Amino acid sequence: MNKPVLDIHDKPTPVHWLTLSLQHLFAMFGATILVPYLVGLSPAIALISSGIGTLAFLMITKWKVPAYLGSSFAFIIPIQTAQLEGGPGAAMIGSFMAGLVYGIVALIIKQAGYRWILKLLPPIVTGPVIIVIGLALSGTAIDMAMNNPVTGEYSMLHFSAALITLAATVVISVYGKGMFGMIPILAGIIIGYVYSLMIGIVDFSVVAKAAWFEMPEFIFPVMDYDVRITLDLALLMIPVAVVTLSEHIGHQLVLGKVVGKDYIKDPGLHRSILGDGMGTMLSAFIGGPPKTTYGENIGVLAITKIYSVYVIAGAAVIAIVFGFVGKVTALISSIPTPVMGGVSILLFGIIASSGLRMLVDNKVDFGNNRNLAIASVILVLGIGGAHLQLWVFNLEGMAIAAIAGVILNLVLPGKPDVDENMFEN
């Protein structure tokens, strides 16, 4: 490990503090606002809730883990499904339940250790489920990219904006150096936005009319919707929450390597999982999407060697402030749908590819019929959109896929020993 420029509890000078915090804000910005854009929630609330969630995470982890919490892509389809059945309120209740699952798992880990969850979610289960999460969204990305959002019909003009955005994002992600290479999503959106202005598909008037200070559209339980916890919501959200725990463990292992700390032991995996879950619950309480630690910000730490939690906290505060700036919210809302479609093509593909990488890195043997059967069932059930309707509850495709994978892994003979570092990237 190289010596850090700023270690965990080092404070930067005020000028450096602002600059360094803005770097982390830019790294998470594109992906964090894309999730609410896709599910019909407020981008301003997503920014505010990411800041609040990050501050809660830092406090719960005793200010020892420099991680930023942004919007989770894994819950896009469950949120969309919940909204169709019960509106935004149902989506928030489901998101809160997902955070509660994290809290319960954290309590179990504190008492029983964490190896049980590695045995429950080996790569042969989590890898295909992550592939499903990415590929199940592929149709949404293509529709956003190709079609005129007003008429819903194919438009080469709009598709060109998506292709320019996609090309810019790919080129920057491959060839970008230093900090610039860590913000390919944001940079791609900016380039796509400029191109869209040139071809006349941006309504910039909303930005001109917006006030500088504007109260975001908070969604509070009881005040804005009735709190109704149903079995359908539980079966929709909980399986996905269980699977995304593997993502959290992976991030903690990678982050520990970057900064030279063992976060599994100190402050403990139970604390970081609880912090992630608390961030999700706080977000749901005000109308934001579920949260997850962001690999983009871990990348910033690796490049800059600035590990200060004060820098992360600064980014969280700036995100909260941005959520109340009407001009920023209006600018986000003016981004053309094809531009978001262009970056979504790459992002959703990366999610699916990370599932493949997990299988490759852990040398999963597909010559073994056991592994072949588990992966095959998960992929077809998840991508095919299967749903199971029994009596009073309905189980959707991604949840069915995750549950089927866990059950098959537990009951089929020949289960291999699990390496506790299997999620390390």
Side-chain angles (χ1 to χ4, degrees):
M1 291 299 300
N2 295 323
K3 185 178 179 181
V5 177
L6 287 176
D7 212 343
I8 303 296
H9 295 119
D10 292 343
K11 288 184 179 179
T13 62
V15 174
H16 288 160
W17 197 342
L18 178 62
T19 305
L20 296 171
S21 293
L22 282 172
Q23 282 188 140
H24 279 281
L25 183 77
F26 292 151
M28 68 85 188
F29 195 89
T32 292
I33 65 170
L34 179 58
V35 173
Y37 190 97
L38 292 171
V39 300
L41 297 176
S42 167
I45 301 300
L47 287 174
I48 294 170
S49 61
S50 76
I52 293 173
T54 298
L55 293 175
F57 178 90
L58 292 173
M59 286 187 283
I60 290 171
T61 56
K62 300 181 177 180
W63 300 90
K64 293 182 178 181
V65 184
Y68 194 94
L69 268 60
S71 305
S72 174
F73 283 83
F75 290 91
I76 290 176
I77 290 179
I79 289 176
Q80 290 173 334
T81 305
Q83 285 184 315
L84 287 175
E85 295 180 0
M92 293 306 100
I93 294 168
S95 297
F96 189 90
M97 292 169 68
L100 196 60
V101 169
Y102 270 57
I104 293 170
V105 170
L107 291 175
I108 297 173
I109 288 175
K110 180 173 174 59
Q111 297 299 321
Y114 63 88
R115 286 173 178 80
W116 65 271
I117 199 166
L118 304 184
K119 294 178 181 179
L120 186 69
L121 298 169
I124 189 56
V125 174
T126 53
V129 170
I130 292 171
I131 294 171
V132 166
I133 290 171
L135 294 186
L137 293 164
S138 58
T140 299
I142 296 302
D143 287 341
M144 291 171 62
M146 291 197 315
N147 299 330
N148 183 326
V150 177
T151 64
E153 297 177 351
Y154 174 81
S155 169
M156 187 59 219
L157 183 68
H158 290 78
F159 196 20
S160 69
L163 294 175
I164 291 293
T165 304
L166 175 61
T169 307
V170 170
V171 168
I172 293 167
S173 66
V174 174
Y175 296 105
K177 301 297 182 182
M179 184 59 205
F180 189 62
M182 293 307 305
I183 56 170
I185 299 168
L186 180 63
I189 289 174
I190 292 172
I191 292 170
Y193 191 90
V194 172
Y195 175 78
S196 298
L197 279 171
M198 294 169 59
I199 62 175
I201 62 171
V202 177
D203 181 10
F204 200 72
S205 63
V206 293
V207 181
K209 294 176 183 176
W212 280 103
F213 175 81
E214 191 172 287
M215 185 61 66
E217 299 174 2
F218 291 105
I219 304 174
F220 294 110
V222 181
M223 294 174 58
D224 297 303
Y225 59 88
D226 294 330
V227 178
R228 292 175 54 204
I229 300 174
T230 66
L231 186 58
D232 280 355
L233 272 179
L235 293 172
L236 187 64
M237 292 288 188
I238 289 175
V240 180
V242 171
V243 172
T244 55
L245 284 166
S246 64
E247 178 186 25
H248 178 93
I249 296 169
H251 281 171
Q252 292 306 297
L253 289 167
V254 174
L255 181 60
K257 275 207 159 187
V258 168
V259 304
K261 309 284 184 182
D262 187 352
Y263 287 131
I264 303 299
K265 293 181 180 179
D266 182 26
L269 184 61
H270 64 286
R271 281 190 173 272
S272 64
I273 288 177
L274 179 61
D276 206 334
M278 182 59 69
T280 294
M281 287 189 284
L282 290 172
S283 178
F285 186 78
I286 64 173
K291 296 291 176 273
T292 184
T293 49
Y294 259 23
E296 292 92 329
N297 295 89
I298 296 174
V300 173
L301 295 174
I303 287 177
T304 62
K305 296 181 177 60
I306 293 171
Y307 310 142
S308 172
V309 290
Y310 295 102
V311 172
I312 300 293
V317 172
I318 296 172
I320 294 171
V321 172
F322 269 29
F324 289 93
V325 179
K327 295 285 187 184
V328 171
T329 305
L331 187 63
I332 294 170
S333 67
S334 71
I335 300 172
T337 300
V339 171
M340 289 303 203
V343 295
S344 296
I345 291 173
L346 180 63
L347 270 175
F348 299 159
I350 287 174
I351 293 170
S353 298
S354 66
L356 287 173
R357 179 183 173 183
M358 181 178 288
L359 295 171
V360 172
D361 288 350
N362 290 279
K363 299 180 176 62
V364 175
D365 180 14
F366 280 100
N368 183 327
N369 285 339
R370 180 185 188 276
N371 293 336
L372 192 63
I374 294 172
S376 300
V377 170
I378 292 173
L379 290 172
V380 174
L381 287 177
I383 297 173
H387 70 276
L388 183 64
Q389 192 162 357
L390 292 173
W391 300 293
V392 295
F393 68 88
N394 186 38
L395 202 58
E396 295 296 329
M398 194 182 299
I400 293 177
I403 292 171
V406 169
I407 293 174
L408 286 174
N409 177 65
L410 292 175
V411 302
L412 291 179
K415 182 166 60 175
D417 294 332
V418 177
D419 178 3
E420 66 183 53
N421 292 325
M422 67 182 177
F423 292 123
E424 189 170 1
N425 292 324

